[in-house]
Amino acid sequence: MRALFGEALLADRLDQVALSQELNQEALAISRALGDKRSTAMALRTLSWDDSVLDTDARVRLLEESRSLFEELGDAWEVARAIYSIGGIEE
């Protein structure tokens, strides 16, 4: 999973948006299939980064689901990051 996230991040930094989204979608599918809530939440969050592909509502939905999963996991730091990200999108 970490390799997929790393590759997606690299693709994002190299402005290869389609590849980054594809890798994040793959990470999300695998995470869900494995029942891995942390990786699912991370994949949802990283999918929300790209404002050239997703509209505001879609990005907020991804972050809300991510926040909810991090809450279930008791990860206050990641919950705060999700809330902060949502606030940044909705400005």
Side-chain angles (χ1 to χ4, degrees):
M1 208 46 69
R2 293 185 109 148
L4 273 176
F5 287 130
E7 191 174 355
L9 180 62
L10 178 60
D12 183 66
R13 297 296 185 257
L14 295 173
D15 206 26
Q16 296 176 349
V17 176
L19 178 58
S20 178
Q21 288 289 70
E22 179 183 324
L23 293 166
N24 280 314
Q25 287 286 357
E26 184 178 352
L28 179 60
I30 292 169
S31 297
R32 287 193 196 276
L34 294 173
D36 182 343
K37 289 183 181 182
R38 179 165 303 282
S39 292
T40 298
M42 290 174 60
L44 290 164
R45 183 182 62 215
T46 55
L47 280 168
S48 76
W49 291 346
D50 190 6
D51 60 356
S52 68
V53 175
L54 301 171
D55 65 21
T56 299
D57 291 339
R59 294 174 69 205
V60 169
R61 280 192 303 276
L62 291 169
L63 286 166
E64 286 289 354
E65 186 178 351
S66 176
R67 180 196 51 78
S68 178
L69 289 168
F70 282 127
E71 282 180 350
E72 287 179 29
L73 294 167
D75 191 330
W77 173 255
E78 292 294 349
V79 169
R81 286 182 66 186
I83 292 169
Y84 177 81
S85 295
I86 292 166
I89 290 172
E90 293 183 336
E91 288 183 350

